[in-house]
Amino acid sequence: MKKKYETIINLGTQERYSISLNKRIRLLNTFCIIWGHLILIFYSIELIIGLVLESINQDAITFQFFDYKAFFSYLLTLSSLVITLFLNKTSKFNGARILFMSAVILSNLLASLIISPGNYLEYYFILLAPISLMLYSNKSTSYLFLLISFLLFLTPYFFYVVYPKDYVDRLLILEILCVFLVIYLVVNYFKESNIKSEKLLSLERDKVLSDKMILEGQEAELRELNEFKSHFFVNLSHEIRTPLTLIQGYTNQLDFKESDKENKQRTVIIKEQCLQMQNIINSIMDLSKMDSNEFQLNSMPVDLNSFLEKHFINFQTLFAKKNIEFTFNNKTLKTTILVDEDLFSKAITNLLSNALKFTPNSGSVAINTFFNNESLTINVIDSGIGINKDESEAIFKRFYQVKNDITKSQGSGIGLAFTKSIISAHQFSIAVESSFGNGTCFTISIPENFVNSTTDSLSKEPIDIIEVNKTNFNEQPNTKLKSNKQKILVVDDHEQMRKYLKKVLHNYEVTEAENGKEALNTLNNNTFDLILTDYMMPVMDGETLVKQLKQQQNKTPILVLTARTDHQGKLSMLRLGIDGYLQKPFMEEELLINIKNSIALYRNIVEFDKDNSPEVLKNINEYADKFNIKITSYINKNLNSPLLTVDSISEYMKVSRSTLNRKVKSLLGQTVNQLIQEARLEKARNLRAEDPFASKKQIAEMVGITNTTYLFDKLKERYGINK
Ligand code: ADP
């Protein structure tokens, strides 16, 4: 019932209307409801009284008391109220309030002049002006109604006279006018103060909302920074661990009895990787320099052509390896620029490294220099993956990386921020022009006061064009040669790492894949004894690869070799059912033993499958499934009881304690206690996710653990859930 009234009261209100308009609409609806009810109640009472009196005074009921005029007047008013509500519902508030005010006037006129004249009903006109105050915001409208109401009040005394003359003569017109005015002014006062407090309230609300938005913004920024930070550290540790593994590996392989040539190759790789690590450490140092703004420029004139040519030559081989057309077009003739050679070199190297990283095989990259409106321009243009327009500002921020397959496993988001700091410290400027999928152009502009050009700077002809033609460096050894060796598929995006693993696994036939996708393609046409995969890789990472293989029911044993050391990563991999998880840097021996064991276990399973009929295998699997279902459902049902122990489970499963442990270990790979603990932690995690406000004690009780601190320590350790 209450709901129905609420619906009627809200008829015609809309969110897009102002608060005060909605309030007026609601008031009008409320007036209609109240007035409608009053009419029904009074008329029913009138009818009942008439009927009772007739039945007492007469023998038969003749409805002599029935007053047609009153009946029609009530009917007219009721219909007007219904139409008013209907008009409101159809969003015609103006029409609705005019109709309502007319109904008030008309019904009161009828009552005071015709239906019940001389009964002082004209005093009801006092209500007209206050009602108009509530329904109209315009002041002059309500003054008009005040005037009309007073004139209407006077009607039965002076215009359509229904009172005796002496009564009319005694009428205190001025006093009554004062009463009209006072009532009007009192209602007006309350209306004004209401409007004032509403304004204050809405100001407060706006302030609270804007504070909330600021807080939300800060929270989002913090969250983003946190994400950036953890992404940065994961990537960084990945980048450091990879060269470290190679250095360790090759150092162990150094054998002074072997030929000089072999050792030389190893030391070259060790040196390269040391350099790589040094670069990484340097970029961290650069980052801290950026923090403290301690760039000390040591600027001196540098010959632009030879400076850029040096970088061009340094990168030639790297671009050629990816079959990328790399060109250097210099249109500036003999020009020197005033720069800190060391720092400026870092900026150019970073732009070229990015071009190399973000341009796919067979693309093109160019360094162009020319004069443009009195400043010298250096462009690094590539035909690579490009950057979305709305991210082109953000890439110069620290830790910012566009989310894509390449940045998933490489980079740290420092490079461009550092480059920009260097360029700004020189008082040069750097800009980027790019769109997603259409390559990228970084432009460094050097103002003329830092440039010294001895020849016609606007020469059209390039004096220096060095070009490297596309060369195919992808000479992979033919891995499809038949041999009796066991076959291993090595999946890693790091070329040196693949080379190193190949050397370590020289007793196996090794096939290489650069990422998960390539591995899946290779696996379509080949079978292997083992798959050794990295975790973080572009295009398709190790986790997705393992998921897909498990979906395809591929039974080949999988070892994951990774630089990721966080629990989360390790656990999500182990949950997928891999055979081993080794962290970089690893010992060669450890890797070889793991591979040997995994292959042997796999062979045993294959042999076992071969020796047993499908019927037997089916029975074994069915038994394992049933056992699994029975024990886990028992554990889940009794999880909240601290009495859930190995003993209670062995009693339920009707086996001895030792048999139970043995069976659980062989079928589920865990001890019974681990199984219980795992189920408790998982339930606690779910409970916490379902109701973040549940108390820790409650959660601990619900999972049958009495020591709350212990539970939350474990949750933190296991899922990283904060206490
Ligand atoms: P990093 O390369 O270590 O990720 P940078 O600060 O050098 O960090 O670059 C920031 C981001 O800008 C990169 O992650 C990448 O998404 C984007 N980016 C930089 N250079 C290029 C380019 N030449 N093509 C496409 N994207 C680029």
Side-chain angles (χ1 to χ4, degrees):
M1 196 65 184
K2 199 175 154 210
K3 263 243 156 93
K4 271 190 191 154
Y5 280 120
E6 255 171 40
T7 322
I8 300 175
I9 288 173
N10 285 319
L11 277 181
T13 53
Q14 290 194 25
E15 261 179 35
R16 64 190 163 92
Y17 290 167
S18 68
I19 298 178
S20 67
L21 177 58
N22 275 333
K23 213 177 199 179
R24 271 180 265 139
I25 295 175
R26 272 198 291 271
L27 269 172
L28 181 55
N29 292 336
T30 315
F31 289 153
C32 289
I33 294 176
I34 295 173
W35 198 8
H37 279 71
L38 287 177
I39 291 174
L40 290 175
I41 292 167
F42 285 135
Y43 195 62
S44 312
I45 293 172
E46 247 173 58
L47 272 184
I48 293 166
I49 293 174
L51 281 173
V52 171
L53 286 179
E54 263 194 5
S55 57
I56 294 170
N57 298 334
Q58 298 173 9
D59 298 337
I61 291 173
T62 54
F63 286 103
Q64 268 178 2
F65 65 89
F66 191 77
D67 181 351
Y68 287 100
K69 284 185 229 157
F71 176 76
F72 282 116
S73 159
Y74 286 145
L75 199 64
L76 191 71
T77 314
L78 272 180
S79 337
S80 314
L81 296 179
V82 173
I83 298 173
T84 304
L85 288 174
F86 177 76
L87 286 175
N88 252 353
K89 191 179 171 220
T90 50
S91 305
K92 295 189 178 87
F93 177 60
N94 255 337
R97 64 185 170 181
I98 290 174
L99 180 65
F100 181 81
M101 294 306 279
S102 317
V104 174
I105 293 172
L106 198 69
S107 62
N108 214 20
L109 270 182
L110 283 175
S112 56
L113 301 180
I114 297 164
I115 302 166
S116 188
N119 279 330
Y120 311 110
L121 292 182
E122 62 279 1
Y123 278 90
Y124 279 124
F125 281 118
I126 282 186
L127 296 176
L128 192 65
I131 291 178
S132 76
L133 263 181
M134 291 181 226
L135 297 184
Y136 288 88
S137 57
N138 192 341
K139 272 272 163 64
S140 40
T141 316
S142 46
Y143 282 129
L144 184 70
F145 273 109
L146 180 64
L147 183 69
I148 294 174
S149 64
F150 191 63
L151 289 178
L152 290 172
F153 169 79
L154 296 179
T155 314
Y157 300 94
F158 300 104
F159 308 113
Y160 187 91
V161 188
V162 297
Y163 288 98
K165 191 170 176 315
D166 62 326
Y167 184 79
V168 174
D169 290 344
R170 274 187 282 123
L171 189 71
L172 303 167
I173 298 182
L174 263 180
E175 281 82 347
I176 292 172
L177 179 64
C178 281
V179 175
F180 267 73
L181 257 175
V182 167
I183 293 184
Y184 173 84
L185 289 175
V186 168
V187 176
N188 191 35
Y189 167 78
F190 283 114
K191 181 184 168 181
E192 294 290 322
S193 63
N194 191 299
I195 290 175
K196 243 188 226 162
S197 44
E198 253 172 21
K199 264 192 194 147
L200 270 178
L201 205 74
S202 96
L203 275 179
E204 287 281 313
R205 201 183 304 127
D206 285 353
K207 194 172 170 301
V208 170
L209 270 181
S210 82
D211 283 355
K212 196 177 154 214
M213 268 160 69
I214 292 173
L215 277 177
E216 277 173 359
Q218 283 173 344
E219 194 195 325
E221 254 174 44
L222 267 178
R223 214 179 313 124
E224 209 172 301
L225 192 70
N226 236 342
E227 258 175 41
F228 279 153
K229 246 171 57 186
S230 54
H231 183 74
F232 167 71
F233 284 119
V234 170
N235 268 9
L236 203 69
S237 73
H238 180 255
E239 298 218 344
I240 292 180
R241 276 163 186 276
T242 306
L244 200 63
T245 311
L246 291 172
I247 293 167
Q248 268 189 6
Y250 282 112
T251 318
N252 290 339
Q253 277 184 10
L254 280 180
D255 182 349
F256 295 100
K257 281 182 241 140
E258 262 188 38
S259 77
D260 245 14
K261 200 179 144 226
E262 296 258 327
N263 281 336
K264 234 183 212 159
Q265 269 178 1
R266 286 172 189 145
T267 38
V268 167
I269 296 176
I270 292 173
K271 268 191 199 151
E272 265 176 29
Q273 296 306 315
C274 283
L275 212 65
Q276 171 76 7
M277 281 200 32
Q278 197 181 341
N279 284 338
I280 296 167
I281 307 285
N282 282 347
S283 62
I284 298 175
M285 297 306 290
D286 291 340
L287 187 70
S288 67
K289 271 189 207 158
M290 270 163 70
D291 270 338
S292 54
N293 265 341
E294 62 165 65
F295 275 144
Q296 301 256 328
L297 288 193
N298 185 11
S299 294
M300 51 181 85
V302 171
D303 181 67
L304 181 68
N305 193 55
S306 44
F307 172 80
L308 289 177
E309 200 179 290
K310 196 173 74 195
H311 286 84
F312 176 70
I313 291 166
N314 283 348
F315 272 86
Q316 261 181 345
T317 338
L318 295 169
F319 279 112
K321 269 191 185 176
K322 278 183 88 176
N323 207 17
I324 290 173
E325 185 182 352
F326 184 37
T327 52
F328 171 33
N329 307 313
N330 184 0
K331 294 190 181 176
T332 62
L333 299 179
K334 279 202 167 354
T335 302
T336 48
I337 50 174
L338 202 60
V339 287
D340 180 317
E341 192 171 354
D342 195 29
L343 283 175
F344 200 60
S345 172
K346 281 185 178 165
I348 299 290
T349 304
N350 184 54
L351 294 184
L352 289 173
S353 308
N354 279 349
L356 176 69
K357 189 158 61 171
F358 297 107
T359 306
N361 289 1
S362 312
S364 59
V365 172
I367 311 174
N368 297 332
T369 64
F370 52 91
F371 279 97
N372 181 16
N373 291 338
E374 294 171 358
S375 66
L376 174 69
T377 299
I378 303 174
N379 272 346
V380 176
I381 307 177
D382 66 57
S383 66
I385 60 170
I387 304 159
N388 256 333
K389 282 228 154 30
D390 50 356
E391 286 183 285
S392 49
E393 284 278 315
I395 55 167
F396 292 106
K397 284 189 193 154
R398 246 187 290 173
F399 304 136
Y400 192 89
Q401 290 191 297
V402 177
K403 286 200 171 97
N404 59 36
D405 283 337
I406 301 170
T407 55
K408 225 197 280 179
S409 65
Q410 291 176 42
S412 46
I414 312 173
L416 280 181
F418 187 50
T419 303
K420 184 158 184 176
S421 309
I422 294 173
I423 300 291
S424 307
H426 278 89
Q427 296 170 30
F428 306 163
S429 64
I430 181 166
V432 65
E433 230 178 278
S434 179
S435 64
F436 186 65
N438 292 322
T440 305
C441 171
F442 283 97
T443 305
I444 298 175
S445 301
I446 305 178
E448 63 175 344
N449 46 332
F450 293 92
V451 182
N452 187 10
S453 186
T454 49
T455 340
D456 174 18
S457 55
L458 292 169
S459 154
K460 294 273 181 293
E461 282 304 307
I463 55 150
D464 250 328
I465 297 186
I466 309 169
E467 185 164 327
V468 179
N469 283 331
K470 295 181 189 181
T471 334
N472 197 353
F473 273 69
N474 299 341
E475 336 137 351
Q476 294 277 333
N478 187 357
T479 48
K480 283 188 181 163
L481 279 180
K482 288 232 166 210
S483 82
N484 290 330
K485 290 179 179 174
Q486 287 171 329
K487 293 197 221 161
I488 295 182
L489 176 63
V490 169
V491 195
D492 200 306
D493 59 324
H494 199 286
E495 193 191 344
Q496 291 282 13
M497 181 55 88
R498 288 199 306 271
K499 256 194 200 155
Y500 166 62
L501 286 170
K502 213 168 165 180
K503 273 207 177 129
V504 175
L505 305 175
H506 58 269
N507 283 333
Y508 296 90
E509 184 186 321
V510 173
T511 303
E512 297 174 36
E514 257 188 54
N515 55 55
K517 200 167 172 206
E518 224 180 275
L520 283 178
N521 285 341
T522 313
L523 282 159
N524 276 341
N525 310 316
N526 302 284
T527 53
F528 292 89
D529 295 283
L530 184 125
I531 299 166
L532 180 64
T533 176
D534 189 11
Y535 197 148
M536 291 157 66
M537 287 176 291
V539 186
M540 184 191 279
D541 62 13
E543 193 174 345
T544 321
L545 168 68
V546 176
K547 270 187 197 152
Q548 300 242 354
L549 288 175
K550 295 290 166 189
Q551 256 170 24
Q552 293 171 7
Q553 314 242 322
N554 188 318
K555 296 233 169 75
T556 317
I558 304 170
L559 289 184
V560 176
L561 191 58
T562 177
R564 264 186 86 152
T565 50
D566 54 311
H567 276 334
Q568 207 67 28
K570 183 173 179 178
L571 286 171
S572 55
M573 267 302 198
L574 286 173
R575 270 191 215 112
L576 292 176
I578 55 163
D579 300 80
Y581 190 91
L582 279 96
Q583 278 164 1
K584 293 176 188 169
F586 56 89
M587 288 187 301
E588 280 174 21
E589 214 36 45
E590 183 191 5
L591 175 68
L592 290 171
I593 292 172
N594 264 289
I595 291 178
K596 206 170 145 207
N597 289 346
S598 300
I599 294 180
L601 189 71
Y602 172 61
R603 287 262 150 102
N604 281 345
I605 295 171
V606 174
E607 290 301 312
F608 183 79
D609 283 2
K610 247 196 257 160
D611 291 350
N612 288 290
S613 66
E615 202 50 39
V616 173
L617 288 175
K618 201 175 146 227
N619 284 342
I620 291 174
N621 284 338
E622 274 176 9
Y623 173 76
D625 283 349
K626 271 190 197 153
F627 183 86
N628 191 359
I629 291 170
K630 195 171 172 189
I631 192 166
T632 38
S633 71
Y634 178 77
I635 290 178
N636 285 333
K637 246 189 241 158
N638 296 286
L639 215 55
N640 57 354
S641 157
L643 300 176
L644 178 72
T645 56
V646 183
D647 288 331
S648 69
I649 298 175
S650 62
E651 200 174 299
Y652 172 74
M653 299 294 282
K654 297 196 177 67
V655 286
S656 72
R657 208 185 137 93
S658 57
T659 313
L660 178 73
N661 262 327
R662 199 166 26 80
K663 277 197 177 177
V664 170
K665 185 88 194 159
S666 67
L667 290 173
L668 305 175
Q670 283 171 308
T671 65
V672 182
N673 276 329
Q674 278 169 339
L675 206 62
I676 301 173
Q677 166 105 322
E678 192 62 17
R680 285 194 160 128
L681 291 182
E682 190 163 346
K683 177 142 189 219
R685 182 175 70 150
N686 291 341
L687 287 171
R688 189 152 175 134
E690 277 162 22
D691 180 7
F693 299 108
S695 78
K696 288 179 188 170
K697 196 156 180 277
Q698 265 175 333
I699 293 180
E701 270 168 17
M702 282 156 99
V703 300
I705 291 182
T706 38
N707 187 341
T708 314
T709 323
Y710 167 79
L711 170 68
F712 277 81
D713 278 347
K714 285 281 160 210
L715 276 176
K716 178 151 177 50
E717 195 182 292
R718 179 73 170 76
Y719 299 114
I721 292 177
N722 275 329
K723 290 194 205 173

